[in-house]
Structure formats: structure tokens, C-alpha cells
Amino acid sequence: PMKTFTEGGFRKVARSMPNTPAQIGKGMTVWSCTPNIESDERAKIKEVLCSFGKAVFVDDEDFIDMSTSISGSGPAYIFMLMEGTFP
């Protein structure tokens, strides 16, 4: 979490979690940052993250963890469902 870094002395922190399709520019990156990051800095961060695909800013850092569990577990769930459906 960003709190770990701010407590460690970092003043400005941005956190993101790109997913695997980011390697080919088709990813979805959910990101957040500390409130003290100015709008022009946020725009630069978003520009970099958009080079991986799409980027979505969230105010609540917990949404990053939620999106990670969905994007990471979702494909595995579908493959397990397919294995159970088609013996």
C-alpha cells in the first residue's frame, strides 16, 4: 500500500497494477496516487500508463487490490469452468 511508502518518507506516491495484456499494449491498469500529486503530474502518470493500454484512476486504493483479484483470477475461473463443462 501507498501508506507504507509515505510512512517511509516518500512524499508523493503513485501505485498501479498493470495486467498481462499490457505487454502488447492492450492492458487495463488501475491506478491511484497520494492527494498531493498535482493534476499535471497525474496527467503524465496517466500518459505513461496508457502506453500499456487503458488506465483507470481510482480515489480509493483498495480498488486496485479488487481489480487485481478479478483480472488475475477471472481467466483461471473461466478455464476451470470450461474444463468441467467439456470433459
Side-chain angles (χ1 to χ4, degrees), residues 1-11 13-15 33-34 61:
M2 292 188 294
K3 185 177 180 182
T4 303
F5 292 97
T6 56
E7 288 175 349
F10 292 90
R11 295 182 316 117
V13 178
R15 179 181 172 208
C33 64
T34 52
E61 184 182 11

Side-chain angles (χ1 to χ4, degrees), residues 38-82:
E38 303 294 333
S39 61
D40 62 318
E41 294 170 311
R42 288 178 190 223
K44 290 176 185 176
I45 293 167
K46 185 176 180 179
E47 183 180 347
V48 169
L49 296 176
C50 282
S51 70
F52 304 144
K54 295 182 180 181
V56 176
F57 176 80
V58 292
D59 287 319
D60 185 347
E61 184 182 11
D62 289 339
F63 285 108
I64 296 174
D65 297 330
M66 287 184 241
S67 70
T68 302
S69 65
I70 292 169
S71 64
S73 303
Y77 175 78
I78 296 299
F79 286 119
M80 285 181 62
L81 182 65
M82 289 171 55

